[in-house]
Amino acid sequence: MVKEARISSGVPGLDPLMQGGFKRNSVNLIAGEPGSGKTIFGMHFLMEGCKKGECGIYITFEEKKDKMYDDMLSIGWDLKKYEEKGLFRFLEYSPEQVKKILVEGGGMVDAMVEKLKAKRIVIDSITSFSLLYEDELTKKEAALSLFDLIGKWNCTAVVTSQARSVDHESVMSAALEFEVDSIILLYHIRSKDERIRGIEILKMRGTKIPEKTFELVLGDNGIKVSKKTVVF
Ligand SMILES: Nc1ncnc2c1ncn2[C@@H]1O[C@H](COP(=O)(O)OP(=O)(O)OP(=O)(O)O)[C@@H](O)[C@H]1O
Ligand SMILES: [Mg+2]
């Protein structure tokens, strides 16, 4: 059997825990509370592509471009440079605009993905988009058609989802409302007098996963997964 090529997540220490990386053309959900590292995770994924000459598109409803470029520079990622090279694109869309793209079956993003030959997409976050839809069914349908589009574009995606509060239940429910290929949970939980960060691969289709929560270390170069396991 030919070993399937995996797409590196770009997060140091994570790929070995998921048989080398994400599956090609998969949609991968990163869920966590505010400040847990979702945006930085998404950027690791895109920057990994940029280093290999693969274009990535970052779609956001919340972040402002200038601020984001400044923040990421502090981690050592020069988004402007990659943008100029045609390897990175920052799209600030309103949820309504994304809804329109869905209705049009791709619309202007189609042309952009084709022109840039984009391989990686990050949607940060899906939460405000899903708030556009009132009932659970239409919400699920909208998310599914968005994920179908990503498949049509031949891209591998990281989609973030915001948990309402810090508890495990809330992080879990922010993840489970979408039908995706994999779910990764990011924790930032108080333990005694300090907060500990953790990362858990909750599910990943067709992939053996560790069933453990590992410590997540946040530093000057972004996040990395340590070999140490944590128990909350
Ligand atoms: N250069 C840096 N060095 C160290 N820590 C940083 C740096 N830049 C950001 N951080 C920290 O990283 C943490 C995680 O940030 P990130 O924006 O990825 O979280 P998030 O899960 O996307 O949050 P939100 O839900 O609010 O968007 C923040 O608490 C921030 O203080
Ligand atoms: Mg964020």
Side-chain angles (χ1 to χ4, degrees):
M1 202 174 78
V2 182
K3 203 167 159 245
E4 166 203 33
R6 294 272 176 151
I7 310 295
S8 171
S9 66
V11 175
L14 181 59
D15 293 343
L17 305 178
M18 47 191 204
Q19 291 185 217
F22 295 129
K23 296 188 106 176
R24 192 174 293 280
N25 295 359
S26 59
V27 174
N28 307 281
L29 189 85
I30 316 301
E33 58 170 298
S36 59
K38 302 181 296 296
T39 298
I40 294 178
F41 188 116
M43 276 301 153
H44 271 284
F45 174 66
L46 293 177
M47 293 303 106
E48 176 67 20
C50 287
K51 277 193 279 175
K52 294 175 177 156
E54 290 173 14
C55 176
I57 297 178
Y58 177 83
I59 300 177
T60 182
F61 308 117
E62 292 128 22
E63 305 286 345
K64 292 281 164 275
K65 183 169 173 175
D66 287 350
K67 191 181 162 292
M68 181 80 178
Y69 278 39
D70 262 5
D71 286 352
M72 293 302 128
L73 211 50
S74 75
I75 301 182
W77 292 322
D78 193 342
L79 304 185
K80 191 158 172 280
K81 182 187 84 186
Y82 286 126
E83 184 179 332
E84 284 162 1
K85 286 184 176 169
L87 289 171
F88 178 79
R89 203 59 184 266
F90 183 100
L91 300 180
E92 195 190 322
Y93 280 164
S94 66
E96 287 79 10
Q97 279 172 306
V98 173
K99 200 171 176 180
K100 186 162 168 272
I101 291 163
L102 283 187
V103 174
E104 292 169 353
M108 56 187 282
V109 180
D110 249 8
M112 189 184 301
V113 170
E114 192 160 332
K115 181 164 162 266
L116 295 168
K117 297 192 172 54
K119 290 277 170 280
R120 295 171 183 241
I121 290 188
V122 169
I123 300 177
D124 188 22
S125 71
I126 189 96
T127 311
S128 36
F129 169 74
S130 71
L131 290 176
L132 273 183
Y133 301 88
E134 278 169 15
D135 64 287
E136 286 306 309
L137 188 65
T138 45
K139 189 187 282 195
K140 276 208 162 116
E141 277 170 0
L144 272 181
S145 38
L146 181 60
F147 301 159
D148 277 351
L149 263 186
I150 293 169
K152 181 181 113 184
W153 291 330
N154 245 321
C155 286
T156 306
V158 162
V159 174
T160 68
S161 169
Q162 188 148 10
R164 257 170 240 110
S165 68
V166 301
D167 61 285
H168 182 264
E169 290 302 307
S170 169
V171 174
M172 197 77 109
S173 73
L176 290 176
E177 59 179 341
F178 302 104
E179 186 61 32
V180 288
D181 299 296
S182 86
I183 296 177
I184 293 177
L185 307 179
L186 301 184
Y187 300 107
H188 190 201
I189 288 179
R190 180 172 284 283
S191 160
K192 295 195 193 101
D193 56 350
E194 55 169 0
R195 275 186 181 272
I196 301 179
R197 293 179 187 274
I199 181 167
E200 176 186 13
I201 306 169
L202 186 70
K203 75 157 197 180
M204 186 167 286
R205 289 192 182 133
T207 307
K208 207 165 148 249
I209 51 172
E211 313 276 354
K212 284 181 190 134
T213 301
F214 291 88
E215 185 189 33
L216 191 69
V217 183
L218 176 76
D220 292 343
N221 304 313
I223 50 174
K224 67 175 183 207
V225 182
S226 114
K227 289 199 165 66
K228 216 164 100 186
T229 57
V230 287
V231 180
F232 293 123

